[in-house]
Amino acid sequence: MSRQVIHTENAPAAIGTYSQAILVGDTLYLSGQIGLDPYSMELVEGIEAQIRRVFDNLKAVCEAAGGTLADIAKLNIFLTDLSHFQLVNQIMGEYFAQPYPARAALGVASLPKGALVEMDGVVIIHQ
């Protein structure tokens, strides 16, 4: 089965040795997204803005592969402060409808570029 690199200018360019996403068959593997603005490549200010930017970045990559956020089967959330978990839930409710994806939320010591939140996931693209 072939692997297809997914790239969009509407999400931050990869800043290392990885791709924004890889599509294998109908399964899209999303790399972690932090709250970088895709045009300035600067981290947006504050936890709420970062959470929204991460969801917008994930959405852009899903759309570049022919999917939507609703196609995410598994979402992984990494937070440097788990007290922000309720805010993630609240904002996630603005981006997703039932049935919600399977999800894990983990507290981590630090994230790239000093980000407060990072998310990655697995998407099933319905073609």
Side-chain angles (χ1 to χ4, degrees):
M1 196 170 286
S2 67
R3 295 171 7 139
Q4 178 184 351
V5 173
I6 303 299
H7 175 78
T8 177
E9 298 296 323
N10 296 322
I15 54 175
T17 54
Y18 64 93
S19 301
Q20 288 175 333
I22 296 290
L23 182 63
V24 181
D26 65 353
T27 305
L28 180 68
Y29 299 91
L30 298 168
S31 287
Q33 288 286 338
I34 59 176
L36 289 178
D37 177 275
Y39 308 105
S40 70
M41 291 299 289
E42 296 292 326
L43 196 62
V44 297
E45 287 279 329
I47 184 63
E48 182 173 348
Q50 286 189 28
I51 294 166
R52 291 181 188 285
R53 184 74 256 165
V54 168
F55 283 128
D56 290 340
N57 291 343
L58 292 173
K59 179 181 175 191
V61 177
C62 287
E63 289 173 351
T68 69
L69 287 178
D71 296 319
I72 295 178
K74 176 67 165 49
L75 184 66
N76 297 306
I77 302 168
F78 307 93
L79 291 161
T80 58
D81 184 343
L82 282 174
S83 72
H84 297 136
F85 183 65
Q86 187 54 41
L87 183 58
V88 170
N89 273 334
Q90 175 190 331
I91 295 171
M92 188 171 170
E94 298 172 22
Y95 284 84
F96 292 84
Q98 290 189 12
Y100 300 118
R103 182 180 75 181
L106 304 167
V108 297
S110 64
L111 291 167
K113 294 193 168 277
L116 302 173
V117 60
E118 181 172 358
M119 297 181 208
D120 70 9
V122 178
V123 183
I124 306 302
I125 304 294
H126 306 282
Q127 299 181 10

